[in-house]
């Protein structure tokens, strides 16, 4: 199986397990970084001003992904903006993952 240039068939069991954890940790970091960006775009009305669309709709179109998922991410980013500083550190040291923020914001 080749994905994104990595040939997983060449890795041993321990390497595959380590890679799975590292990729999940990287995903959390990317999700938090995207949250910062989306919160700023939404707060400043950048996508509306530049493209005539709300942030979630614009991102879905521009990135060719589900607009519904993008709108959900924008809502999460708006709710979480006050917690980002504390949450960033917790994600960075792998105490929590992005999914924890999703749960907190859904309450």
């Amino acid at each position: 199986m080749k994905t994104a240039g990595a040939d997983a068939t060449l890795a041993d069991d321990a390497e595959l397990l380590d890679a799975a954890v590292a990729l999940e940790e990287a995903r959390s970091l990317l999700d938090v970084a995207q949250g910062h960006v989306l919160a700023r775009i939404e707060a400043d009305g950048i996508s509306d001003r530049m493209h005539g669309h709300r942030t979630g709709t614009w991102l879905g179109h521009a990135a060719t992904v589900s607009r519904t998922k993008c709108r959900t991410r924008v809502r999460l980013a708006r709710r979480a903006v006050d917690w980002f500083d504390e949450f960033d550190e917790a994600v960075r040291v792998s105490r929590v993952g992005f999914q924890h923020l999703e749960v907190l914001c859904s309450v």
Side-chain angles (χ1 to χ4, degrees):
M1 171 178 70
K2 290 185 181 181
T3 305
D7 189 348
T9 62
L10 299 177
D12 65 28
D13 294 351
E15 290 170 331
L16 288 171
L17 293 172
D18 290 344
V21 171
L23 289 167
E24 190 57 38
E25 290 171 348
R27 181 189 325 275
S28 282
L29 293 171
L30 288 170
D31 286 340
V32 170
Q34 184 185 43
H36 283 279
V37 170
L38 292 175
R40 175 74 189 274
I41 291 170
E42 180 71 6
D44 293 352
I46 295 169
S47 61
D48 191 28
R49 185 175 66 247
M50 294 185 70
H51 298 283
H53 295 290
R54 301 280 313 254
T55 307
T57 301
W58 164 78
L59 180 61
H61 176 74
T64 319
V65 294
S66 164
R67 289 182 181 102
T68 301
K69 182 176 180 177
C70 291
R71 285 192 293 266
T72 299
R73 285 187 170 264
V74 171
R75 272 194 306 277
L76 175 66
R78 281 195 328 248
R79 289 181 187 151
V81 74
D82 293 334
W83 300 340
F84 275 145
D85 290 340
E86 295 160 18
F87 195 75
D88 283 348
E89 178 62 15
V91 171
R92 190 184 66 74
V93 297
S94 299
R95 283 196 317 255
V96 298
F98 186 74
Q99 296 79 12
H100 292 94
L101 184 61
E102 290 177 309
V103 170
L104 286 172
C105 288
S106 70
V107 179

